[in-house]
Amino acid sequence: MSYWIVSYFLIVLLLKTNLAQDIQHMQVCIVQTTCKSCMEASNRCGWCSDWEYSNFTIGKPRCNIPERLIAFGCPSFAIKEATTGSVQLLQDENFQDVIIDQIPVQLKPQKIRIKLRPLSEEILRIQYRPAKNYPLDLYYLMDLTWSMQDDKETLVGLGWKMANTLGTFTNNFRLGFGSYADKPLMPYIFPGYEDNPCQAEHATCAPLYSFRHHMTLSGDVQEFIKKVNASDVTGNVDNLEGGLDGVVQAVVCGEQVGWGHQARKLMLVATDGSLHFAGDGKLGGVVHRQDFMCYLNSDGEYSMATEFDYPSLAEISRLLQSHKVNLIFAIGEDHREEYENIAELLKEKAHVATLTGNSSNILEIVEQAYHEIVSKVILRDNSTGSFNVEYFSNCGVQDGPQMPTSECNGLLEGHVYNFDVKFSLKECPANESLWVRIYNVSEVRQIFYNAHI
Ligand SMILES: *[C@@H]1O[C@H](CO)[C@@H](O)[C@H](O)[C@H]1NC(C)=O
Ligand SMILES: *[C@@H]1O[C@H](CO)[C@@H](O)[C@H](O)[C@H]1NC(C)=O
Ligand SMILES: *[C@@H]1O[C@H](CO)[C@@H](O)[C@H](O)[C@H]1NC(C)=O
Ligand SMILES: *[C@@H]1O[C@H](CO)[C@@H](O)[C@H](O)[C@H]1NC(C)=O
Ligand SMILES: *[C@@H]1O[C@H](CO)[C@@H](O)[C@H](O)[C@H]1NC(C)=O
Ligand SMILES: *[C@@H]1O[C@H](CO)[C@@H](O)[C@H](O)[C@H]1NC(C)=O
């Protein structure tokens, strides 16, 4: 899935202060022997970082009020001082819904500069408003082995209803379509059945193929229905399918599939079978690990299916993470446990929904998945070392207490949620190059798809 990421740059500066000629403070300062303890002792203390400074007089304190340091010969540019903290808004644009050619804004402010003294903290209110009208890209990846014939028919029958349903939550949605079966190799196919693998079922179907991309993401629902209707059902021997080959190609072939840069990306894998994993290719003599490149030929077919082994779940997990694609396994109840185990290994990027025998509940599954995405936000940052960021929110509960949390559930589009963010610094880093740092706070939205439908 893709997220809109509006980032914060927190520029943390440990900087100058003005000092009073205060004997008391001087006494506090001069006993400090490190920059760190000097900065922490008092905001009036300055630290002379000039190497040659203390060579003149043994015992001359490096930590002192700046006027004294200068009087003792410390060049003023070499004096490090701490300040009282401050927060400055550098960029604070208004929220922006999703409009063509406009970058949506969901976090406010966007850029701030914070000055922090060691052992101090600053609190800033950050507001989050889920933008309306998020684009949704839904790639429908269908197992088209023989037993899925009725599911295909259901989907054709539901086509327009699907368009209407999706249209109620975003008018920015696109549908794409691909299908998969298995590697066209023995033992996934009976010898002699290459041309019609459904002979055993006393039926006729198309030759076995691995993955075929039928339709690039588009708002044209009529085309989607047509493409699903025109796709060929095929057949293979067992109930294990090469779906993961299809997942990989549909993810990495960005140009052919047409994934939107800023859209939420959902891939729905509809199947009544199980999956082949890395290592299973050996049965058909396929031992090479795949390289996760796009290999679609001019017919949209995966052309290296008989050269590369199936991917492993670890590889799929990394792939989904890096391409921000969310997988929904829409599967039969009898496979639920198996796919839940798979989804667990794929972490938050995959979810399982139960498909009825003829896929008649597919719309509910899609709708739920979409709403689950908008319903949760997590704020994350890359703070390190002694710089610490904590989040507090009532998650939109009227008059509710501020709880220490960086995530809120059940968010509604267009509503504003407040986070009080506490920035603190435990100590002054010894390495001066770390005194000015840039941090990034970003929002991540996730699908938590656990509903049994
Ligand atoms: C001052 O002392 C430091 C080490 O204490 C030494 O590296 C530096 O060369 C000395 N500078 C002069 C000018 O003596
Ligand atoms: C799907 O099956 C259910 C019963 O299992 C039935 O009520 C429904 O009409 C079927 N839908 C389609 C589109 O065939
Ligand atoms: C699906 O294709 C068949 C012929 O292949 C056609 O008769 C039927 O009308 C098509 N259905 C839709 C909904 O396009
Ligand atoms: C300080 O940090 C910078 C960047 O992290 C590093 O290149 C440098 O070597 C460090 N200096 C010391 C004295 O540790
Ligand atoms: C945090 O992320 C921002 C943006 O990606 C980057 O510029 C910055 O260097 C990162 N800060 C740290 C401490 O890693
Ligand atoms: C901020 O962090 C997020 C998540 O790690 C990342 O996707 C985004 O590109 C970062 N922003 C910048 C400006 O580097």
Side-chain angles (χ1 to χ4, degrees), residues 47-102:
W47 178 259
C48 183
S49 62
D50 185 42
W51 264 118
E52 300 186 355
Y53 168 75
S54 62
N55 296 24
F56 299 116
T57 315
I58 304 296
K60 203 162 55 178
R62 276 193 186 276
C63 184
N64 209 330
I65 59 175
E67 287 79 353
R68 300 301 298 156
L69 292 174
I70 288 168
F72 283 139
C74 182
S76 53
F77 65 81
I79 298 177
K80 306 294 175 195
E81 296 163 70
T83 54
T84 50
S86 67
V87 177
Q88 194 186 346
L89 301 188
L90 300 181
Q91 194 182 342
D92 191 21
E93 273 152 36
N94 257 324
F95 296 118
Q96 172 68 59
D97 284 330
V98 181
I99 300 177
I100 304 220
D101 293 336
Q102 286 266 357

Short mmCIF file of all heavy atoms in Angstrom, two decimals, residues 47-102:
data_model
loop_
_atom_site.label_atom_id
_atom_site.label_comp_id
_atom_site.label_asym_id
_atom_site.label_seq_id
_atom_site.Cartn_x
_atom_site.Cartn_y
_atom_site.Cartn_z
N TRP A 47 31.49 26.80 26.78
CA TRP A 47 32.60 25.85 26.74
C TRP A 47 33.59 26.30 25.68
O TRP A 47 33.20 26.51 24.52
CB TRP A 47 32.08 24.45 26.42
CG TRP A 47 33.15 23.39 26.30
CD1 TRP A 47 33.66 22.90 25.14
CD2 TRP A 47 33.80 22.71 27.35
NE1 TRP A 47 34.58 21.94 25.40
CE2 TRP A 47 34.70 21.80 26.78
CE3 TRP A 47 33.72 22.77 28.77
CZ2 TRP A 47 35.52 20.97 27.52
CZ3 TRP A 47 34.53 21.93 29.51
CH2 TRP A 47 35.42 21.04 28.89
N CYS A 48 34.82 26.46 26.05
CA CYS A 48 35.81 26.86 25.06
C CYS A 48 36.35 25.63 24.36
O CYS A 48 37.00 24.78 24.98
CB CYS A 48 36.95 27.65 25.71
SG CYS A 48 38.10 28.22 24.43
N SER A 49 36.09 25.52 23.06
CA SER A 49 36.50 24.32 22.35
C SER A 49 37.83 24.51 21.61
O SER A 49 38.26 23.64 20.88
CB SER A 49 35.42 23.92 21.35
OG SER A 49 35.26 24.95 20.40
N ASP A 50 38.46 25.67 21.84
CA ASP A 50 39.74 25.93 21.16
C ASP A 50 40.85 25.10 21.81
O ASP A 50 41.05 25.12 23.02
CB ASP A 50 40.07 27.43 21.29
CG ASP A 50 41.33 27.77 20.51
OD1 ASP A 50 41.46 27.25 19.38
OD2 ASP A 50 42.15 28.55 21.03
N TRP A 51 41.57 24.34 20.97
CA TRP A 51 42.58 23.42 21.48
C TRP A 51 43.68 24.15 22.26
O TRP A 51 44.15 23.68 23.28
CB TRP A 51 43.23 22.64 20.34
CG TRP A 51 42.60 21.30 20.16
CD1 TRP A 51 41.95 20.84 19.07
CD2 TRP A 51 42.56 20.24 21.13
NE1 TRP A 51 41.48 19.57 19.28
CE2 TRP A 51 41.85 19.18 20.54
CE3 TRP A 51 43.04 20.10 22.44
CZ2 TRP A 51 41.61 17.98 21.19
CZ3 TRP A 51 42.80 18.91 23.10
CH2 TRP A 51 42.09 17.87 22.47
N GLU A 52 44.09 25.27 21.75
CA GLU A 52 45.26 25.94 22.32
C GLU A 52 44.94 26.73 23.58
O GLU A 52 45.84 27.15 24.29
CB GLU A 52 45.86 26.87 21.28
CG GLU A 52 46.29 26.10 20.06
CD GLU A 52 47.03 26.96 19.06
OE1 GLU A 52 47.12 28.18 19.29
OE2 GLU A 52 47.50 26.40 18.06
N TYR A 53 43.64 26.92 23.84
CA TYR A 53 43.21 27.80 24.93
C TYR A 53 43.86 27.46 26.27
O TYR A 53 44.43 28.31 26.93
CB TYR A 53 41.69 27.72 25.02
CG TYR A 53 41.09 28.34 26.25
CD1 TYR A 53 41.00 29.73 26.38
CD2 TYR A 53 40.59 27.54 27.28
CE1 TYR A 53 40.42 30.28 27.51
CE2 TYR A 53 40.02 28.09 28.40
CZ TYR A 53 39.94 29.46 28.52
OH TYR A 53 39.37 30.00 29.63
N SER A 54 43.81 26.20 26.65
CA SER A 54 44.29 25.87 28.00
C SER A 54 45.80 25.65 28.06
O SER A 54 46.34 25.34 29.10
CB SER A 54 43.56 24.65 28.54
OG SER A 54 43.84 23.56 27.71
N ASN A 55 46.50 25.83 26.90
CA ASN A 55 47.95 25.67 26.93
C ASN A 55 48.63 26.84 27.63
O ASN A 55 49.71 26.71 28.15
CB ASN A 55 48.51 25.55 25.51
CG ASN A 55 48.01 24.29 24.81
OD1 ASN A 55 46.97 23.78 25.16
ND2 ASN A 55 48.77 23.81 23.84
N PHE A 56 47.95 28.03 27.63
CA PHE A 56 48.59 29.22 28.19
C PHE A 56 48.76 29.13 29.70
O PHE A 56 49.81 29.37 30.25
CB PHE A 56 47.78 30.48 27.85
CG PHE A 56 47.68 30.72 26.38
CD1 PHE A 56 46.48 30.67 25.71
CD2 PHE A 56 48.84 30.97 25.65
CE1 PHE A 56 46.41 30.90 24.35
CE2 PHE A 56 48.77 31.19 24.28
CZ PHE A 56 47.55 31.15 23.63
N THR A 57 47.67 28.82 30.36
CA THR A 57 47.71 28.77 31.81
C THR A 57 47.15 27.43 32.25
O THR A 57 46.03 27.09 31.88
CB THR A 57 46.81 29.87 32.43
OG1 THR A 57 47.06 31.07 31.73
CG2 THR A 57 47.08 30.03 33.90
N ILE A 58 47.90 26.70 32.96
CA ILE A 58 47.41 25.42 33.45
C ILE A 58 46.24 25.68 34.39
O ILE A 58 46.26 26.62 35.18
CB ILE A 58 48.53 24.66 34.22
CG1 ILE A 58 49.77 24.48 33.35
CG2 ILE A 58 48.03 23.33 34.75
CD1 ILE A 58 49.57 23.62 32.13
N GLY A 59 45.22 24.89 34.25
CA GLY A 59 44.10 24.99 35.19
C GLY A 59 43.08 26.05 34.81
O GLY A 59 42.12 26.27 35.54
N LYS A 60 43.27 26.72 33.70
CA LYS A 60 42.29 27.70 33.26
C LYS A 60 41.02 26.94 32.85
O LYS A 60 41.08 26.07 32.01
CB LYS A 60 42.87 28.47 32.07
CG LYS A 60 42.26 29.81 31.84
CD LYS A 60 43.13 30.67 30.96
CE LYS A 60 43.48 30.04 29.63
NZ LYS A 60 44.28 30.93 28.79
N PRO A 61 39.89 27.29 33.45
CA PRO A 61 38.70 26.47 33.15
C PRO A 61 38.20 26.67 31.72
O PRO A 61 38.13 27.79 31.22
CB PRO A 61 37.68 26.97 34.17
CG PRO A 61 38.12 28.35 34.52
CD PRO A 61 39.62 28.38 34.39
N ARG A 62 37.89 25.55 31.07
CA ARG A 62 37.27 25.62 29.74
C ARG A 62 35.80 25.98 29.85
O ARG A 62 35.20 26.43 28.88
CB ARG A 62 37.38 24.26 29.05
CG ARG A 62 38.70 24.04 28.36
CD ARG A 62 38.60 22.83 27.44
NE ARG A 62 39.91 22.54 26.88
CZ ARG A 62 40.39 23.16 25.79
NH1 ARG A 62 39.66 24.07 25.16
NH2 ARG A 62 41.60 22.88 25.35
N CYS A 63 35.23 25.70 31.02
CA CYS A 63 33.80 25.99 31.21
C CYS A 63 33.69 27.23 32.07
O CYS A 63 34.16 27.25 33.22
CB CYS A 63 33.12 24.79 31.88
SG CYS A 63 31.33 24.99 32.04
N ASN A 64 33.06 28.28 31.50
CA ASN A 64 32.95 29.52 32.24
C ASN A 64 31.90 30.37 31.56
O ASN A 64 31.42 30.02 30.48
CB ASN A 64 34.31 30.25 32.23
CG ASN A 64 34.49 31.10 33.47
OD1 ASN A 64 33.52 31.59 34.04
ND2 ASN A 64 35.74 31.27 33.88
N ILE A 65 31.56 31.49 32.17
CA ILE A 65 30.65 32.38 31.44
C ILE A 65 31.46 32.96 30.28
O ILE A 65 32.67 33.21 30.42
CB ILE A 65 30.02 33.46 32.35
CG1 ILE A 65 31.08 34.31 32.99
CG2 ILE A 65 29.14 32.81 33.40
CD1 ILE A 65 30.51 35.46 33.80
N PRO A 66 30.85 33.15 29.11
CA PRO A 66 31.60 33.49 27.91
C PRO A 66 32.50 34.72 28.06
O PRO A 66 33.60 34.74 27.51
CB PRO A 66 30.52 33.72 26.86
CG PRO A 66 29.40 32.85 27.31
CD PRO A 66 29.43 32.89 28.81
N GLU A 67 32.04 35.73 28.79
CA GLU A 67 32.86 36.93 28.97
C GLU A 67 34.21 36.58 29.59
O GLU A 67 35.25 37.13 29.22
CB GLU A 67 32.15 37.97 29.85
CG GLU A 67 30.99 38.66 29.17
CD GLU A 67 29.71 37.82 29.14
OE1 GLU A 67 29.76 36.63 29.55
OE2 GLU A 67 28.68 38.33 28.71
N ARG A 68 34.19 35.69 30.56
CA ARG A 68 35.44 35.30 31.21
C ARG A 68 36.30 34.48 30.24
O ARG A 68 37.51 34.64 30.22
CB ARG A 68 35.15 34.46 32.47
CG ARG A 68 34.33 35.18 33.52
CD ARG A 68 35.00 36.47 34.01
NE ARG A 68 36.29 36.22 34.67
CZ ARG A 68 37.25 37.12 34.78
NH1 ARG A 68 37.11 38.32 34.24
NH2 ARG A 68 38.38 36.82 35.39
N LEU A 69 35.66 33.62 29.46
CA LEU A 69 36.42 32.81 28.50
C LEU A 69 37.15 33.73 27.53
O LEU A 69 38.33 33.54 27.23
CB LEU A 69 35.49 31.86 27.72
CG LEU A 69 34.85 30.72 28.52
CD1 LEU A 69 33.86 29.96 27.65
CD2 LEU A 69 35.92 29.76 29.05
N ILE A 70 36.45 34.76 27.05
CA ILE A 70 37.06 35.70 26.11
C ILE A 70 38.19 36.45 26.79
O ILE A 70 39.29 36.60 26.25
CB ILE A 70 36.00 36.67 25.54
CG1 ILE A 70 35.10 35.88 24.58
CG2 ILE A 70 36.65 37.85 24.83
CD1 ILE A 70 33.85 36.60 24.16
N ALA A 71 37.93 36.86 28.04
CA ALA A 71 38.96 37.58 28.79
C ALA A 71 40.20 36.72 28.95
O ALA A 71 41.33 37.22 28.94
CB ALA A 71 38.41 37.99 30.15
N PHE A 72 40.01 35.39 29.06
CA PHE A 72 41.15 34.49 29.20
C PHE A 72 41.78 34.13 27.86
O PHE A 72 42.69 33.31 27.80
CB PHE A 72 40.72 33.20 29.89
CG PHE A 72 40.55 33.34 31.39
CD1 PHE A 72 39.48 32.73 32.03
CD2 PHE A 72 41.45 34.07 32.15
CE1 PHE A 72 39.32 32.84 33.40
CE2 PHE A 72 41.29 34.19 33.52
CZ PHE A 72 40.21 33.58 34.16
N GLY A 73 41.22 34.68 26.77
CA GLY A 73 41.85 34.45 25.48
C GLY A 73 41.21 33.40 24.60
O GLY A 73 41.80 32.98 23.60
N CYS A 74 40.02 32.98 24.95
CA CYS A 74 39.35 32.01 24.07
C CYS A 74 38.71 32.78 22.91
O CYS A 74 37.96 33.74 23.14
CB CYS A 74 38.27 31.25 24.84
SG CYS A 74 37.44 30.01 23.82
N PRO A 75 39.00 32.41 21.65
CA PRO A 75 38.35 33.12 20.53
C PRO A 75 36.83 32.91 20.61
O PRO A 75 36.38 31.79 20.91
CB PRO A 75 38.93 32.44 19.29
CG PRO A 75 39.93 31.45 19.76
CD PRO A 75 39.82 31.28 21.23
N SER A 76 36.07 33.95 20.31
CA SER A 76 34.62 33.85 20.55
C SER A 76 33.97 32.77 19.67
O SER A 76 33.00 32.14 20.08
CB SER A 76 33.95 35.20 20.33
OG SER A 76 34.29 35.69 19.05
N PHE A 77 34.55 32.53 18.48
CA PHE A 77 33.93 31.50 17.63
C PHE A 77 34.07 30.10 18.23
O PHE A 77 33.36 29.18 17.86
CB PHE A 77 34.53 31.52 16.21
CG PHE A 77 35.99 31.15 16.16
CD1 PHE A 77 36.38 29.80 16.18
CD2 PHE A 77 36.98 32.13 16.08
CE1 PHE A 77 37.73 29.46 16.12
CE2 PHE A 77 38.32 31.80 16.03
CZ PHE A 77 38.69 30.45 16.05
N ALA A 78 34.99 29.96 19.16
CA ALA A 78 35.23 28.63 19.74
C ALA A 78 34.40 28.38 20.99
O ALA A 78 34.51 27.35 21.62
CB ALA A 78 36.70 28.45 20.05
N ILE A 79 33.55 29.36 21.34
CA ILE A 79 32.77 29.20 22.57
C ILE A 79 31.41 28.56 22.25
O ILE A 79 30.66 29.06 21.42
CB ILE A 79 32.55 30.56 23.26
CG1 ILE A 79 33.92 31.15 23.65
CG2 ILE A 79 31.67 30.39 24.51
CD1 ILE A 79 33.83 32.52 24.26
N LYS A 80 31.17 27.43 22.89
CA LYS A 80 29.89 26.74 22.72
C LYS A 80 29.00 27.05 23.91
O LYS A 80 29.44 26.97 25.05
CB LYS A 80 30.11 25.22 22.66
CG LYS A 80 31.10 24.77 21.62
CD LYS A 80 30.58 25.05 20.23
CE LYS A 80 31.63 24.69 19.20
NZ LYS A 80 31.34 25.26 17.89
N GLU A 81 27.75 27.42 23.59
CA GLU A 81 26.84 27.74 24.68
C GLU A 81 25.51 27.05 24.46
O GLU A 81 25.14 26.75 23.33
CB GLU A 81 26.60 29.25 24.72
CG GLU A 81 27.82 30.06 25.02
CD GLU A 81 27.59 31.50 24.64
OE1 GLU A 81 26.80 32.16 25.33
OE2 GLU A 81 28.17 31.96 23.64
N ALA A 82 24.81 26.83 25.52
CA ALA A 82 23.47 26.26 25.44
C ALA A 82 22.45 27.39 25.54
O ALA A 82 22.75 28.44 26.07
CB ALA A 82 23.25 25.25 26.55
N THR A 83 21.29 27.16 25.03
CA THR A 83 20.24 28.18 25.13
C THR A 83 19.06 27.60 25.89
O THR A 83 18.97 26.40 26.08
CB THR A 83 19.65 28.55 23.76
OG1 THR A 83 19.23 27.34 23.16
CG2 THR A 83 20.62 29.29 22.91
N THR A 84 18.13 28.47 26.22
CA THR A 84 16.82 27.96 26.56
C THR A 84 16.24 27.49 25.24
O THR A 84 16.61 28.00 24.18
CB THR A 84 15.95 29.09 27.14
OG1 THR A 84 16.04 30.20 26.25
CG2 THR A 84 16.43 29.51 28.51
N GLY A 85 15.39 26.53 25.27
CA GLY A 85 14.89 25.96 24.03
C GLY A 85 13.90 26.86 23.33
O GLY A 85 13.41 27.83 23.89
N SER A 86 13.63 26.52 22.08
CA SER A 86 12.59 27.24 21.35
C SER A 86 12.07 26.36 20.22
O SER A 86 12.74 25.43 19.79
CB SER A 86 13.15 28.54 20.77
OG SER A 86 14.10 28.25 19.77
N VAL A 87 10.86 26.65 19.80
CA VAL A 87 10.28 25.93 18.66
C VAL A 87 9.85 26.96 17.65
O VAL A 87 9.18 27.94 17.99
CB VAL A 87 9.04 25.10 19.08
CG1 VAL A 87 8.41 24.43 17.87
CG2 VAL A 87 9.41 24.06 20.12
N GLN A 88 10.27 26.76 16.43
CA GLN A 88 9.96 27.72 15.38
C GLN A 88 9.31 26.96 14.22
O GLN A 88 9.83 25.92 13.80
CB GLN A 88 11.29 28.32 14.94
CG GLN A 88 11.20 29.55 14.10
CD GLN A 88 12.60 29.93 13.61
OE1 GLN A 88 13.62 29.43 14.10
NE2 GLN A 88 12.65 30.79 12.61
N LEU A 89 8.18 27.45 13.73
CA LEU A 89 7.54 26.79 12.59
C LEU A 89 8.17 27.32 11.31
O LEU A 89 8.17 28.52 11.07
CB LEU A 89 6.04 27.08 12.56
CG LEU A 89 5.23 26.67 13.79
CD1 LEU A 89 3.74 26.85 13.52
CD2 LEU A 89 5.51 25.23 14.19
N LEU A 90 8.71 26.42 10.50
CA LEU A 90 9.32 26.86 9.25
C LEU A 90 8.37 26.69 8.08
O LEU A 90 8.46 27.38 7.08
CB LEU A 90 10.60 26.06 8.98
CG LEU A 90 11.71 26.14 10.02
CD1 LEU A 90 12.90 25.31 9.58
CD2 LEU A 90 12.11 27.57 10.27
N GLN A 91 7.48 25.70 8.20
CA GLN A 91 6.52 25.46 7.12
C GLN A 91 5.25 24.94 7.75
O GLN A 91 5.28 23.95 8.48
CB GLN A 91 7.10 24.42 6.14
CG GLN A 91 6.33 24.35 4.84
CD GLN A 91 6.89 23.28 3.91
OE1 GLN A 91 8.02 22.82 4.08
NE2 GLN A 91 6.11 22.88 2.94
N ASP A 92 4.14 25.61 7.47
CA ASP A 92 2.89 25.28 8.15
C ASP A 92 1.72 25.46 7.19
O ASP A 92 0.84 26.29 7.40
CB ASP A 92 2.75 26.18 9.39
CG ASP A 92 1.61 25.72 10.29
OD1 ASP A 92 1.23 24.54 10.20
OD2 ASP A 92 1.10 26.54 11.08
N GLU A 93 1.75 24.68 6.14
CA GLU A 93 0.69 24.81 5.14
C GLU A 93 -0.59 24.13 5.59
O GLU A 93 -0.56 23.21 6.39
CB GLU A 93 1.15 24.20 3.81
CG GLU A 93 1.90 25.20 2.97
CD GLU A 93 2.90 24.53 2.05
OE1 GLU A 93 2.58 23.44 1.55
OE2 GLU A 93 3.99 25.10 1.87
N ASN A 94 -1.71 24.59 5.02
CA ASN A 94 -2.99 24.03 5.39
C ASN A 94 -3.17 22.61 4.86
O ASN A 94 -2.52 22.21 3.92
CB ASN A 94 -4.12 24.91 4.86
CG ASN A 94 -4.70 25.74 5.97
OD1 ASN A 94 -4.78 25.27 7.11
ND2 ASN A 94 -5.08 26.96 5.66
N PHE A 95 -4.10 21.89 5.47
CA PHE A 95 -4.41 20.54 5.01
C PHE A 95 -4.89 20.60 3.56
O PHE A 95 -5.51 21.56 3.13
CB PHE A 95 -5.50 19.92 5.87
CG PHE A 95 -5.08 19.73 7.29
CD1 PHE A 95 -5.75 20.39 8.31
CD2 PHE A 95 -4.02 18.90 7.61
CE1 PHE A 95 -5.35 20.23 9.63
CE2 PHE A 95 -3.62 18.72 8.93
CZ PHE A 95 -4.30 19.39 9.94
N GLN A 96 -4.61 19.54 2.85
CA GLN A 96 -4.99 19.50 1.44
C GLN A 96 -5.52 18.11 1.10
O GLN A 96 -4.85 17.12 1.33
CB GLN A 96 -3.73 19.80 0.59
CG GLN A 96 -3.91 19.62 -0.89
CD GLN A 96 -4.85 20.65 -1.47
OE1 GLN A 96 -4.62 21.85 -1.38
NE2 GLN A 96 -5.94 20.17 -2.07
N ASP A 97 -6.75 18.07 0.60
CA ASP A 97 -7.29 16.79 0.13
C ASP A 97 -6.61 16.39 -1.16
O ASP A 97 -5.82 17.14 -1.71
CB ASP A 97 -8.81 16.90 -0.09
CG ASP A 97 -9.56 16.88 1.23
OD1 ASP A 97 -9.05 16.25 2.19
OD2 ASP A 97 -10.63 17.50 1.31
N VAL A 98 -6.95 15.21 -1.62
CA VAL A 98 -6.30 14.72 -2.83
C VAL A 98 -6.96 15.33 -4.06
O VAL A 98 -8.14 15.13 -4.31
CB VAL A 98 -6.38 13.18 -2.91
CG1 VAL A 98 -5.69 12.69 -4.16
CG2 VAL A 98 -5.78 12.56 -1.67
N ILE A 99 -6.19 16.13 -4.75
CA ILE A 99 -6.66 16.74 -5.99
C ILE A 99 -5.57 16.48 -7.02
O ILE A 99 -4.39 16.44 -6.66
CB ILE A 99 -6.85 18.27 -5.83
CG1 ILE A 99 -7.86 18.55 -4.72
CG2 ILE A 99 -7.29 18.92 -7.14
CD1 ILE A 99 -8.03 20.04 -4.46
N ILE A 100 -5.98 16.31 -8.26
CA ILE A 100 -4.98 16.04 -9.29
C ILE A 100 -3.90 17.12 -9.28
O ILE A 100 -4.20 18.30 -9.14
CB ILE A 100 -5.67 15.99 -10.67
CG1 ILE A 100 -6.78 14.95 -10.57
CG2 ILE A 100 -4.66 15.73 -11.79
CD1 ILE A 100 -7.01 14.07 -11.70
N ASP A 101 -2.67 16.70 -9.39
CA ASP A 101 -1.53 17.61 -9.46
C ASP A 101 -1.25 18.38 -8.17
O ASP A 101 -0.50 19.33 -8.17
CB ASP A 101 -1.67 18.63 -10.61
CG ASP A 101 -1.60 17.95 -11.96
OD1 ASP A 101 -1.00 16.85 -12.02
OD2 ASP A 101 -2.15 18.49 -12.93
N GLN A 102 -1.90 18.00 -7.09
CA GLN A 102 -1.63 18.67 -5.82
C GLN A 102 -1.10 17.61 -4.86
O GLN A 102 -1.65 16.53 -4.79
CB GLN A 102 -2.91 19.24 -5.22
CG GLN A 102 -3.41 20.49 -5.92
CD GLN A 102 -2.90 21.73 -5.23
OE1 GLN A 102 -2.22 21.66 -4.21
NE2 GLN A 102 -3.21 22.88 -5.80
#
